[in-house]
Amino acid sequence: MRNASAVERLVTSLKRLPGIGEKSAARLAYHLLGATDARVEELADAIARVKKETVLCEECFDLTDRSPCEVCRDERRDRRLICVVEEPADLVAIEKSGRYHGVYHVLGGAFAPIDGVGPGELRVAELEARVQAGGIEEVVLATNPNAEGDATAHFLSDRLRPTGVRLTRIAYGMPLGGDLEYADHVTVGICIENRREID
Amino acid sequence: MATLRCEALVLRSVDYSESDRILHLLVPEVGRLTAIAKHARKSVRRFGGTLDLFNRLEVEIARGRGSAMSRLDRARLIHSYAPLRTDPARFALGCYLLEMLDRMAPEGGSRTDVQRLFQFAVGALDWLASHPPNAQVRIFLELRGLDALGVRPELRRCVRCGRDGIEGDVVDFHIPDGGPLCGACAARRGGDRLRVHQGTLRALEQGLDWDLARLDRLVLPPTALGEASRLVSRFQRFHLGVELQSERFLREMLPPPSGRSGAHSQGPAGP
């Protein structure tokens, strides 16, 4: 049996990435073959460093290259407000909105009973400890608005209610640019229930 | 590809590649079916929030030939079981029942059997959405789910000789045979057995046969609840032959009854 060529090994490695199939892996491999040495080295260096240099923030559990992370170090952030998200990507999405100025808590997922994910697999105890340590006035539960995210949010609200902090859930509704005609009746119903005055 | 237009219940929804989603559906026409929903995670117009767990849908599916995966082309939400999302105990029991169906429902099979399974699933979710769950509800819904899957325990006659009217207040329930043993058969038959009161078996029988709407009128005393819980749990594990992943989560959110009785269990033994 012959040894796999460098290209084959690269295709095999790329295929292991989420969303990359055989064809996409081959396309990326041939693209890299045609790229300059500097570009390829830059990519190889970035891949090698990301694993070595990325750590979890000791306060919010976001991915960072220095703990505490940039958000947790920022003195201008409102520390009375904690926004609970499932994953670092959700934190990035909220940061991009530019409308939130508190700090975060990254849970590490949402309940997924069939995959064996319950409270013990998420950073629930760490969140409770942060709230119990004091100084928190509001916890914004920003888990995804699906069944798993909703169940997780309600579990957290049950656990945090005795602390007396204000508990809020991100709003549900129509996406901007959406079409009522194409929305499901549950979403439309929630939009009607949560209607607000026009200022 | 043949097109199937029918109702479906979402048993599981798994993200796939950058923007797709793979759905495990229970369909009254064909049983369990796996379908890919292309671009489901990106396009809010195509499927919106309809592909969520527990949702009852009207779907249009292009059936894959042979081993090819079917494709979900259209989905309209018929009903969303909102209370199952907002109560962790209901969510846990709902997930447990869905996992049982996802792991055990046939792909294909007789139309009557599959429709019965679908009716069970929808009925159980309807019931859970309108009643607070407890350990007793778990036992009855699990037992009814097993029955719908074609695994019904014998609860009255001796499972070996068929004799009705087994004597004694407490009897041996034979887990592998799936029913109680009369005194004579119990003396001859070894294996995994559980000592239970006949009253517990009667209550389980009622839990299986009564209309779902009447289920909350049936109240088991703590002793019977503990026996019923152990019996159904061991019967399920033996006869389904799988360990359900969601059981640990369910035990956390809805602890099993702690009531113990004078009856005792016997581990597996040779005949």
Side-chain angles (χ1 to χ4, degrees), chain B residues 152-201:
Chain B
R152 183 187 173 109
E154 170 59 52
L155 296 165
R156 188 171 286 269
R157 293 167 182 271
C158 172
V159 73
R160 297 293 293 176
C161 67
R163 186 182 150 193
D164 201 358
I166 302 172
E167 287 170 7
D169 187 29
V170 180
V171 296
D172 279 336
F173 186 94
H174 197 273
I175 301 291
D177 288 350
L181 297 170
C182 66
C185 290
R188 290 195 297 269
R189 182 88 176 128
D192 189 8
R193 290 182 285 179
L194 188 71
R195 298 279 287 164
V196 288
H197 287 86
Q198 292 220 50
T200 302
L201 299 183

Side-chain angles (χ1 to χ4, degrees), chain B residues 28-70:
Chain B
E29 275 75 7
V30 293
R32 184 185 169 282
L33 187 146
T34 305
I36 187 161
K38 291 275 190 188
H39 311 298
R41 292 158 67 203
K42 272 192 178 168
S43 166
V44 289
R45 276 193 172 189
R46 191 129 192 251
F47 297 111
T50 56
L51 306 185
D52 219 354
L53 208 58
F54 307 121
N55 281 357
R56 188 173 170 184
L57 312 171
E58 189 179 276
V59 294
E60 193 175 301
I61 295 168
R63 295 293 304 276
R65 279 197 190 146
S67 59
M69 194 183 286
S70 298

Side-chain angles (χ1 to χ4, degrees), chain B residues 6-211:
Chain B
C6 55
E7 270 193 49
L9 184 73
V10 181
L11 300 177
R12 197 163 186 209
S13 182
V14 184
D15 288 348
Y16 181 74
S17 74
E18 208 163 297
S19 59
D20 304 337
R21 187 160 278 176
I22 290 178
L23 293 159
H24 297 192
L25 302 169
L26 186 67
V27 178
E29 275 75 7
V30 293
R32 184 185 169 282
L33 187 146
T34 305
I36 187 161
K38 291 275 190 188
H39 311 298
R41 292 158 67 203
K42 272 192 178 168
S43 166
V44 289
R45 276 193 172 189
R46 191 129 192 251
F47 297 111
T50 56
L51 306 185
D52 219 354
L53 208 58
F54 307 121
N55 281 357
R56 188 173 170 184
L57 312 171
E58 189 179 276
V59 294
E60 193 175 301
I61 295 168
R63 295 293 304 276
R65 279 197 190 146
S67 59
M69 194 183 286
S70 298
R71 190 185 65 230
L72 182 69
D73 285 338
R74 218 177 292 252
R76 188 182 71 81
L77 184 68
I78 296 176
H79 189 67
S80 167
Y81 295 92
L84 273 72
R85 304 160 69 112
T86 55
D87 176 354
R90 288 182 212 220
F91 173 77
L93 185 49
C95 284
Y96 182 75
L97 294 173
L98 291 194
E99 188 190 357
M100 190 161 88
L101 296 173
D102 190 28
R103 302 270 296 264
M104 304 311 298
E107 295 184 13
S110 100
R111 198 181 165 99
T112 317
D113 288 350
V114 174
Q115 281 187 336
R116 188 163 163 255
L117 201 54
F118 188 80
Q119 287 309 317
F120 158 75
V122 168
L125 295 182
D126 275 336
W127 203 91
L128 259 184
S130 54
H131 296 77
N134 55 40
Q136 181 179 306
V137 168
R138 178 207 159 150
I139 293 166
F140 288 144
L141 290 183
E142 189 172 357
L143 195 61
R144 292 173 84 109
L146 288 165
D147 182 33
L149 285 164
V151 189
R152 183 187 173 109
E154 170 59 52
L155 296 165
R156 188 171 286 269
R157 293 167 182 271
C158 172
V159 73
R160 297 293 293 176
C161 67
R163 186 182 150 193
D164 201 358
I166 302 172
E167 287 170 7
D169 187 29
V170 180
V171 296
D172 279 336
F173 186 94
H174 197 273
I175 301 291
D177 288 350
L181 297 170
C182 66
C185 290
R188 290 195 297 269
R189 182 88 176 128
D192 189 8
R193 290 182 285 179
L194 188 71
R195 298 279 287 164
V196 288
H197 287 86
Q198 292 220 50
T200 302
L201 299 183
R202 290 294 85 70
L204 288 175
E205 203 174 25
Q206 289 169 326
L208 265 172
D209 295 335
W210 279 17
D211 191 78

Side-chain angles (χ1 to χ4, degrees), chain A residues 20-31:
Chain A
I20 305 285
E22 178 90 39
K23 280 184 186 166
S24 300
R27 201 165 56 239
L28 288 170
Y30 286 114
H31 172 80

Side-chain angles (χ1 to χ4, degrees), chain A residues 84-144:
Chain A
V84 180
V85 292
E86 291 179 18
E87 302 289 354
D90 303 325
L91 184 157
V92 172
I94 293 175
E95 279 298 282
K96 274 186 186 165
S97 76
R99 303 288 290 270
Y100 177 74
H101 305 291
V103 291
Y104 292 92
H105 186 88
V106 182
L107 275 180
F111 289 163
I114 297 169
D115 298 319
V117 180
E121 286 67 40
L122 304 176
R123 296 183 195 102
V124 172
E126 291 86 342
L127 174 64
E128 287 181 295
R130 282 180 81 179
V131 174
Q132 279 160 0
I136 308 293
E137 288 178 11
E138 180 177 347
V139 176
V140 184
L141 297 163
T143 50
N144 286 322

